[in-house]
Amino acid sequence: MDIHHFLALPHRFRWGGVGGDDCMTFPASWALRCVGIDPAEDLRGTYRARDEAHAIVERYGGELAFMDGHLLKIGAKRVQHPETGDIGLIRAMTGETAADRIEAKIGAIRFGPLWVCIHPAGIRATPAEHVAAWRLPA
C-alpha cells in the first residue's frame, strides 16, 4: 500500500488498537497493510487506557525493546537512515491537553522529512528525533 493512501484513510485514536489506533498500534497497522502481518496482533484489545498500555510496554523492557521485538518477528530490519514508509520510535510531545503534555517515545511512520503519528486529535506529521527505525520487508 502507498503511504499516501494509508494516511488518507480515516484514522481515530483508540487505546488498544481496536476500532482505531494508539501510538504503538498505528505503525503496526501500517505494517499490516504493507506486509499482511500485524506485529501488534497479540496486543490488540488487551488494554483500554494509557496506564495499561504503559504497563505492557514496561513488561517488554521499555519502548525500544517492545518495538524491536514486535517488528523483528515480522522480518523488519533496523536502519540508520529512515526513508518514507519506515517505522520509527521517536521522541515527541504527548498529552491530550497542554497541562498533561510530556515528552515520550512513540511509534511513528516516516513521511519525507517528517514522522507521522496518531494523537487523540488525529494524525500529525512532525519533525522529530528518532531513537530507532525499522524497514519493513519487501
Side-chain angles (χ1 to χ4, degrees):
M1 170 175 267
D2 177 270
I3 186 78
H4 293 93
H5 291 112
F6 178 75
L7 296 176
L9 295 172
H11 294 280
R12 68 186 209 181
F13 189 91
R14 289 270 192 211
W15 287 110
V18 176
D21 281 306
D22 58 44
C23 61
M24 292 301 199
T25 63
F26 178 67
S29 291
W30 167 242
L32 174 60
R33 297 280 182 151
C34 291
V35 300
I37 304 168
D38 183 1
E41 181 179 27
D42 62 328
L43 301 170
R44 291 187 191 271
T46 65
Y47 61 98
R48 295 180 202 210
R50 178 189 309 196
D51 60 334
E52 294 173 304
H54 289 195
I56 290 169
V57 169
E58 287 309 309
R59 280 199 301 272
Y60 281 87
E63 296 91 349
L64 181 57
F66 174 82
M67 288 187 72
D68 209 36
H70 283 85
L71 290 167
L72 293 177
K73 76 179 181 185
I74 68 161
K77 304 286 186 210
R78 290 279 291 270
V79 295
Q80 294 298 316
H81 304 287
E83 299 173 359
T84 294
D86 289 345
I87 291 175
L89 177 64
I90 65 167
R91 294 181 197 283
M93 297 303 291
T94 64
E96 296 181 36
T97 66
D100 66 8
R101 294 189 54 89
I102 60 166
E103 184 178 271
K105 293 177 194 152
I106 62 172
I109 306 163
R110 187 71 171 185
F111 185 63
L114 305 174
W115 289 97
V116 179
C117 53
I118 195 162
H119 180 270
I123 300 294
R124 295 193 306 190
T126 185
E129 174 190 346
H130 73 278
V131 174
W134 297 262
R135 184 150 304 136
L136 295 170

